[in-house]
Amino acid sequence: MNCLITGGAGFIGSNLADELIKKHHVTVFDNLSSGKEEHFAHHSGNPNFRFVKGDLTDPKAIEKAMVGIEMVFHLAANPDVRHGIDHTRIDLEQGTIATHNVLEAMRKAGTKKIAFSSSSTVYGEATVLPTPETYGPMLPISLYGASKLACEGLISSYCHSFGMQAWMFRFANVIGHRGTHGVLVDFIEKLRKDPHNLEILGDGKQKKSYFLVQDCVAGIMTGTEKSSEPINIFNLACEEWTDVTGVADIVVSEMGLKDVKYHYTGGTRGWVGDIPKTWLSTEKARSMGWRTKHSSEEAVRLAVRELLKTQ
Ligand code: NAD
């Protein structure tokens, strides 16, 4: 199959490209804003690989790249929930409008299948934990989450209107190989600058589920290969959660540090729009045979080791 991965030079996208290329022809479409050429350099010379440097906010660029594509894996977006506070158009432009441009390019090229990287943030502060895919009403509390929900709506309506088929994956916190952002990278960078003190956003009690990028990619592969409804939605997460102080303890111990003083910025949230407790039900994905290979804490430890080796 001829696949196109938007954001394929990024953290999750490049790991997905490594998996898809085993069976398919892969085009990576990326503007390299947070993605890196070194994430796909090992495919250069492979006749099943093509890199297109382009920006999804340019409709002509994605229309040109879409010709002959059978399935899109749409991962490009602003990846950081926090940016929306200072840049209130970023999620609209890099998320919602970019997704509209992808769908229009698909419609014009006759591409029928799309897999989309959504997020647990679409649920907002869910009152049902673990939260199933059927939870509602969905009321995001960040502009990032609002854009993800808007993208899901656009994708659903393009499926209905133009005979497309979609797989939407709502990820918890994905960590590990080629990670470039998020709490682990933040803590490592801060501790390298000052190995005695660590600033922790919030009260350290926020609880989240962390899972490795290899498990995330396996979830995308399982979902797309084993479900065939017109619209297929899956939570992808670990069944346990880890609090932020627990994450800090693991980073400190893996870096071999002692007597690090934690400085909490206070409040129950790390930032405006942060959801203090996220716990997704993964029953649906598990019923298809997928599950994470590691607990949330094991995933954090393995990801920290990986990041310390490579960064
Ligand atoms: P990432 O920043 O590593 O990847 C995003 C990629 O998209 C980058 O390579 C970037 O250069 C590219 N990109 C951004 N805007 C673009 C544009 N306008 N045109 C072309 N390319 C563009 O982030 P990631 O963590 O790999 O996230 C991938 C997707 O998964 C994102 O949609 C993100 O919202 C979603 N997601 C990630 C997590 C997580 O924990 N990492 C959790 C939930 C959802």
Side-chain angles (χ1 to χ4, degrees), residues 23-245:
K23 292 188 195 164
H24 304 289
H25 189 283
V26 170
T27 295
V28 161
F29 184 98
D30 202 297
N31 66 0
L32 300 181
S33 54
S34 56
K36 297 181 179 177
E37 277 178 273
E38 70 201 52
H39 287 171
F40 59 81
H42 51 290
H43 296 306
S44 77
N46 183 336
N48 285 330
F49 183 81
R50 175 173 73 129
F51 172 61
V52 177
K53 186 170 181 199
D55 198 302
L56 287 180
T57 56
D58 173 3
K60 290 277 170 260
I62 183 63
E63 278 171 26
K64 194 169 164 213
M66 195 64 75
V67 175
I69 298 297
E70 295 162 272
M71 179 156 184
V72 174
F73 292 81
H74 175 35
L75 279 81
N78 156 44
D80 194 330
V81 181
R82 288 178 286 181
H83 285 332
I85 294 298
D86 296 322
H87 308 282
T88 51
R89 289 188 66 85
I90 194 168
D91 295 299
L92 176 70
E93 284 162 4
Q94 306 293 326
T96 315
I97 294 173
T99 299
H100 183 258
N101 290 343
V102 169
L103 290 163
E104 269 300 281
M106 288 176 64
R107 183 180 69 78
K108 290 179 182 170
T111 308
K112 294 292 183 197
K113 297 181 180 191
I114 180 167
F116 174 61
S117 56
S118 189
S119 152
S120 59
T121 57
V122 293
Y123 297 116
E125 291 186 290
T127 51
V128 177
L129 297 174
T131 312
E133 290 86 351
T134 49
Y135 177 84
M138 289 156 84
L139 296 170
I141 61 163
S142 60
L143 297 181
Y144 171 93
S147 170
K148 289 292 184 196
L149 187 55
C151 292
E152 289 195 11
L154 279 171
I155 292 169
S156 160
S157 44
Y158 265 74
C159 285
H160 184 80
S161 306
F162 305 110
M164 294 178 186
Q165 189 179 17
W167 291 262
M168 308 207 243
F169 297 96
R170 296 174 182 157
F171 305 153
N173 290 274
V174 188
I175 53 174
H177 184 52
R178 301 189 191 131
T180 51
H181 55 95
V183 65
L184 302 188
V185 175
D186 274 3
F187 282 175
I188 291 170
E189 281 175 1
K190 283 177 180 168
L191 286 167
R192 277 185 174 148
K193 277 192 200 129
D194 180 352
H196 304 292
N197 295 287
L198 179 64
E199 182 198 57
I200 297 180
L201 302 180
D203 58 8
K205 293 184 181 147
Q206 307 97 299
K207 288 184 166 177
K208 321 248 165 149
S209 151
Y210 297 89
F211 72 123
L212 291 177
V213 66
Q214 291 86 350
D215 283 332
C216 177
V217 167
I220 296 171
M221 300 304 289
T222 302
T224 51
E225 287 173 1
K226 295 198 176 169
S227 60
S228 54
E229 298 297 318
I231 293 172
N232 307 276
I233 300 178
F234 294 97
N235 288 335
L236 292 183
C238 196
E239 281 157 62
E240 308 83 23
W241 53 14
T242 314
D243 68 27
V244 179
T245 300

